Amino acid sequence: MNFQAAIFDMDGLLLDTERVCLTVFEQACHAVGIPFLRDVYLSVIGRNAAGIEQALTAGYGPQLDYPALHKEWRQRYDAVVKHQAIPVKQGVIELLQWLKANRIPTAVATSTQKEIATIKLRLAQIDHYFDSLTTGCEVTHGKPDPEIYLLAAKRLGVTPTQCVAFEDSNNGVRSAMGAQMITFQIPDLVQPDEEIRALGHHIRPSLTQVLCDLQHSLVSK
């Protein structure tokens, strides 16, 4: 396993935000008088703003008042993530410290808007580990398109095939694999189905296990 840089998704991978987001989405649905469709919600994980609107409209139908739903959802979500630290996931700090000790450049490639992503990383006190931040509002095509990972690699000055990517969502995995990166998936709310598993990437239960794999790989060189 040969890599020169590490690129991380954020929500559900570095930070335990997906359950917060799901809860406030359900609250927003009730507030605007529509049913909470869990499967539809799960289909948007990993997508940027445009992708989320497209997926929700497809799932709920053209009668959906998306602006009203989005407003309720955004207000409730921001009230949480803009003012309190979201817990980091298992193994995050240890992996980031190991990468830093080995002078491996790191970046975040998240579908989240830049302002919110910056706040989340700062409140969680992990922003200083990263050399670059690339967000969904900076690309034309969001995940599962590979554009965001290709841009993140370009900003680090590293060839995409020499990057290792870390994701939780199936959309994110498709994005990283499309960029031809070494890809690890640490599933959160959504487990990979047979189609995703067939992509041939690495699936691990936590970043703690990923760190063990990378340490072993380095020692074996």
Side-chain angles (χ1 to χ4, degrees):
M1 191 183 301
N2 183 27
F3 64 94
Q4 298 177 3
I7 304 178
F8 293 80
D9 176 49
M10 183 180 68
D11 294 305
L13 186 281
L14 292 172
L15 305 178
D16 195 11
T17 44
E18 294 298 357
R19 287 163 184 79
V20 174
C21 197
L22 182 148
T23 298
V24 296
F25 178 78
E26 183 175 6
Q27 293 171 350
C29 288
H30 295 326
V32 299
I34 63 172
F36 167 59
L37 303 180
R38 182 182 175 90
D39 288 345
V40 173
Y41 171 80
L42 295 179
S43 74
V44 312
I45 293 177
R47 296 180 183 270
N48 66 3
I52 289 173
E53 180 175 359
Q54 182 181 29
L56 289 179
T57 301
Y60 277 92
Q63 73 278 5
L64 174 69
D65 184 351
Y66 182 76
L69 174 62
H70 179 263
K71 181 180 178 180
E72 285 286 343
W73 188 15
R74 183 84 261 170
Q75 288 177 342
R76 294 166 189 272
Y77 186 66
D78 287 354
V80 177
V81 301
K82 282 188 174 182
H83 303 287
Q84 58 183 276
I86 301 298
V88 298
K89 301 276 285 194
Q90 179 186 344
V92 167
I93 301 300
E94 293 82 0
L95 176 55
L96 291 175
Q97 288 176 338
W98 182 82
L99 291 167
K100 193 175 187 69
N102 284 277
R103 299 182 179 179
I104 297 171
T106 58
V108 171
T110 174
S111 298
T112 299
Q113 296 176 354
K114 191 166 190 175
E115 177 195 2
I116 301 299
T118 300
I119 292 172
K120 286 180 180 178
L121 294 170
R122 176 175 54 81
L123 289 176
Q125 299 183 18
I126 59 173
D127 55 323
H128 62 284
Y129 286 107
F130 300 103
D131 302 292
S132 176
L133 169 63
T134 301
T135 61
C137 55
E138 298 179 286
V139 296
T140 303
H141 305 290
K143 300 174 185 179
D145 189 275
E147 183 181 357
I148 192 168
Y149 273 103
L150 295 174
L151 180 57
K154 181 179 180 180
R155 287 177 171 175
L156 290 177
V158 179
T159 303
T161 55
Q162 295 297 306
C163 295
V164 58
F166 304 101
E167 274 285 355
D168 65 293
S169 73
N170 294 336
N171 287 322
V173 167
R174 290 190 180 97
S175 178
M177 292 291 286
Q180 297 186 307
M181 296 184 178
I182 302 164
T183 304
F184 282 87
Q185 183 176 18
I186 299 84
D188 188 37
L189 291 182
V190 181
Q191 293 297 314
D193 56 24
E194 291 185 9
E195 180 182 350
I196 294 298
R197 290 179 180 275
L199 295 175
H201 59 297
H202 308 279
I203 302 174
R204 299 291 184 269
S206 71
L207 287 175
T208 300
Q209 182 59 57
V210 171
L211 176 56
C212 291
D213 291 349
L214 297 184
Q215 288 173 327
H216 178 74
S217 174
L218 189 65
V219 170
S220 300
K221 287 185 179 180

